[in-house]
């Protein structure tokens, strides 16, 4: 068994179209040179340029193809997943007043662009009243792009049509403008506690509470865990290389992070956290945990009397792990696990799918489901798991996403219930959480949100500020 992280889109008939375009050209230029019959309508189906840099197709009207020979204007402009670096060419900085609109299309007014304009064709273009504004060499692409100003009293689409009709082998289009279609808007770092009704957490909150986790080792020196009450032990074989500490450190910071003057703190900053380091690094540096390490860590945590065990990982079913978890959850500990990030159609993920384990999915700051989260009847509850801020990496901290980061919120909620005297029984704990949860999906338990978004006040009982 190998486990993995769960951290962690009726055109008119040709004859009619040709007639319309001929009228447009005639109106725009009383004496057009139009010796060739139109073979393509040259329509503009321009989208706004999506956040992934995929702008709409702009018909090139190249008669060689007998149809619109459009180009994908946005495909060369890469963008980040969240839209913070969207596709927009360096020359496309025109403001709203500098952009001409025609049938929903957007382009620089009075300009067209031509690919690989020959010297003879350039002279003919000048005689038609066009002015060369600039030329750009693109040697890697094998292109030379010429920017032309259209003749006075001629619309930009009419100018494009005129050139396409006059020069059948010329690739010509408007100077299209592409705009970002997304903006990375990060939620406030403290949205998580407010979303689950946790309330304000003083520094002393969690005193006398114990939580355990199977994860990577945690960094207690260069992170927000300095001063936290943490005990950790490795269960890796002697020849194994320990995995990087980022994942386990982020989970620990959600649970017991310490306020350091520049950042907030975890849900239960004064709680005791016991960490079983069970993740090694493979040859590519990716973390993995095998059954031997997991069983060793689970045995240690069960013997320590830890009432809540967080497991922010997933993998395939394993009979030894299932047996060990069943024994650990009978009157000993409540096990909380991430449901996995393999998508809605993925098969059941373990250990979350083991009976008696509480499976947790992730939602964002608007209580919308995390797109990559697994679905199934083993999803018990939802908790914040999208863009969870922790101070672990770099001076400004980092945002983490995945069901891995939702699980510790439920683990803290379970710890709070146990601190108030709830029995160590997963069914009764689940019932208590279900009674206060916000039902987000179909009425009752559903495969996307389970019983819904957890709502639990912290054991320090201070209202949200």
């Amino acid at each position: 068994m190998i486990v993995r992280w769960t951290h962690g889109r009726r055109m008119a008939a040709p004859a009619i179209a040709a007639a319309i375009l001929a009228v447009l050209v005639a109106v725009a230029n009383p004496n057009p040179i139009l010796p060739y019959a139109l073979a393509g309508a040259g329509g503009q189906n321009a989208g706004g340029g999506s956040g992934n840099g995929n702008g709409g197709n702009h018909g090139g009207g190249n008669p060689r193809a007998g149809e619109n020979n459009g180009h994908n204007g946005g495909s060369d402009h890469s963008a980040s997943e969240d839209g913070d670096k969207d596709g927009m060419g360096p020359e496309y900085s025109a403001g709203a007043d500098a952009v001409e609109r025609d049938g929903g299309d957007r382009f620089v007014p009075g300009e067209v662009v031509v690919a690989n304009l020959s010297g003879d064709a350039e002279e003919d273009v000048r005689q038609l009243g066009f002015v060369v504004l600039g030329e750009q060499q693109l040697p890697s692409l094998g292109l030379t792009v010429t920017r032309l100003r259209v003749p006075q009293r001629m619309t930009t689409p009419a100018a494009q049509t005129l050139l396409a009709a006059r020069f059948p082998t010329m690739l010509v289009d408007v100077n299209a403008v592409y705009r970002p279609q997304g903006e990375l808007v990060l939620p406030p770092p403290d949205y998580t506690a407010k979303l689950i009704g946790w309330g304000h957490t003083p520094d002393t909150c969690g005193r006398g509470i114990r939580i355990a986790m199977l994860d990577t080792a945690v960094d207690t020196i260069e992170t927000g865990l300095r001063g936290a009450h943490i005990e950790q032990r490795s269960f890796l074989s002697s020849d194994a290389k320990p995995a990087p500490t980022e994942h386990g450190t982020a989970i620990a910071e959600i649970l017991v992070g310490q306020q350091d003057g520049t950042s907030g703190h975890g849900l239960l900053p004064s709680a005791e956290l016991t960490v079983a380091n069970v993740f090694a690094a493979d040859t590519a540096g990716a973390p993995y945990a095998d059954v031997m390490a997991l069983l060793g860590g689970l045995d240690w945590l069960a013997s320590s009397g830890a009432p809540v065990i967080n497991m922010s990982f997933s993998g395939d079913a394993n009979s030894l792990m299932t047996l060990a978890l069943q024994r650990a959850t009978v009157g000993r500990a409540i096990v909380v696990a991430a449901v996995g990030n393999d998508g809605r159609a993925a098969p059941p993920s373990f250990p979350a799918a083991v009976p008696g384990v509480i499976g947790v999915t992730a939602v964002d700051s608007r209580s919308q489901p995390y797109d990559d989260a697994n679905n199934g009847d083993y999803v018990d509850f939802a908790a914040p798991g999208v863009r969870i801020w922790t101070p672990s990496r770099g001076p400004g901290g980092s945002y983490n996403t995945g069901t891995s980061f939702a699980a510790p919120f439920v683990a803290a909620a379970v710890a709070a219930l146990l601190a108030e005297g709830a029995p160590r029984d997963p069914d009764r704990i689940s019932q208590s959480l279900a009674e206060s949860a916000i039902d987000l999906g179909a009425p009752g338990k559903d495969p996307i949100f389970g019983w819904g978004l957890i709502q639990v006040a912290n054991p320090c009982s201070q209202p949200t500020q």
Side-chain angles (χ1 to χ4, degrees):
M1 175 184 182
I2 299 295
V3 297
R4 55 190 175 276
W5 294 136
T6 54
H7 352 289
R9 38 182 23 121
R10 285 188 186 249
M11 184 177 292
I16 297 175
I20 293 172
L21 289 171
V23 171
L24 287 173
V25 173
V27 172
N29 189 345
N31 300 298
I33 302 174
L34 196 61
Y36 300 104
L38 293 177
Q44 292 87 29
N45 295 323
S50 75
N52 288 327
N54 294 320
N57 294 328
H58 227 83
N62 187 347
R64 289 180 300 171
E67 60 183 1
N68 291 348
N69 193 11
H71 63 273
N72 189 343
S75 62
D76 291 336
H77 307 302
S78 63
S80 74
E81 180 179 349
D82 290 315
D84 54 331
K85 295 181 181 178
D86 298 85
M88 183 169 67
E91 300 298 328
Y92 301 153
S93 58
D97 295 337
V99 177
E100 184 175 346
R101 301 176 183 228
D102 180 67
D105 300 331
R106 296 169 181 165
F107 44 82
V108 177
E111 292 186 10
V112 293
V113 288
V114 180
N116 298 332
L117 182 64
S118 66
D120 292 341
E122 181 178 338
E123 181 60 29
D124 291 340
V125 165
R126 291 179 186 272
Q127 290 183 7
L128 290 174
F130 289 84
V131 177
V132 176
L133 297 176
E135 185 177 273
Q136 186 173 3
Q137 302 287 338
L138 305 172
S140 296
L141 302 177
L143 289 174
T144 298
V145 179
T146 304
R147 187 163 59 102
L148 303 175
R149 186 171 66 213
V150 306
Q152 292 183 357
R153 298 186 302 278
M154 183 180 293
T155 67
T156 307
Q160 176 196 353
T161 303
L162 171 62
L163 291 178
R166 177 65 178 83
F167 305 100
T169 61
M170 179 183 293
L171 183 60
V172 57
D173 211 327
V174 298
N175 192 1
V177 170
Y178 300 91
R179 299 187 183 280
Q181 296 299 295
E183 180 180 358
L184 178 60
V185 179
L186 295 173
D190 62 348
Y191 91 85
T192 53
K194 294 178 180 179
L195 196 65
I196 65 174
W198 188 256
H200 176 65
T201 304
D203 295 341
T204 57
C205 194
R207 187 169 294 166
I209 292 178
R210 295 184 61 199
I211 303 177
M213 52 187 272
L214 287 168
D215 215 296
T216 70
V218 302
D219 182 352
T220 60
I221 304 299
E222 300 297 330
T223 66
L225 295 173
R226 290 185 299 271
H229 307 290
I230 296 177
E231 178 187 6
Q232 52 184 326
R233 181 182 298 182
S234 175
F235 292 88
L236 305 180
S237 61
S238 59
D239 59 343
K241 178 182 178 181
T245 61
E246 284 84 359
H247 187 270
T249 300
I251 301 300
E253 286 175 330
I254 293 171
L255 291 168
V256 299
Q258 305 293 292
Q259 190 165 10
D260 60 5
T262 60
S263 64
H265 44 56
L267 299 169
L268 299 166
S270 286
E272 297 178 8
L273 180 63
T274 307
V275 181
N277 173 18
V278 295
F279 280 88
D282 63 18
T283 54
Y288 77 95
D290 61 23
V291 169
M292 297 302 293
L294 288 169
L295 291 177
L298 181 58
D299 180 70
W300 177 58
L301 296 180
S303 67
S304 71
V308 185
I309 302 176
N310 185 84
M311 299 185 180
S312 288
F313 54 82
S314 68
D316 298 330
N318 181 273
S319 57
L320 274 71
M321 277 297 300
T322 298
L323 177 62
L325 285 167
Q326 290 172 343
R327 293 186 175 181
T329 55
V330 177
R332 291 189 178 185
I334 307 297
V335 176
V336 177
V339 299
N341 303 334
D342 295 321
R344 298 181 180 182
S349 181
F350 293 81
V354 174
V357 174
I358 298 176
V360 185
T361 191
V363 296
D364 63 17
S365 59
R366 299 172 298 161
S367 299
Q368 297 299 303
Y370 173 47
D371 287 341
D372 292 337
N374 290 24
N375 290 178
D377 58 6
Y378 59 97
V379 177
D380 294 308
F381 297 99
V386 178
R387 295 175 184 160
I388 307 300
W389 187 88
T390 62
S392 56
R393 287 172 293 189
S398 61
Y399 282 85
N400 307 281
T401 292
T403 58
S404 270
F405 305 101
F409 288 94
V410 175
V414 171
L417 293 177
L418 294 177
E420 295 172 354
R424 295 190 188 184
D425 181 282
D427 292 335
R428 295 176 67 176
I429 289 291
S430 292
Q431 181 179 354
S432 296
L433 292 173
E435 289 173 353
S436 60
I438 298 176
D439 196 343
L440 297 177
K445 192 172 187 286
D446 67 77
I448 298 176
F449 301 101
W451 291 108
L453 176 64
I454 60 164
Q455 296 292 294
V456 179
N458 71 50
C460 308
S461 300
Q462 295 197 14
T464 303
Q465 292 186 344

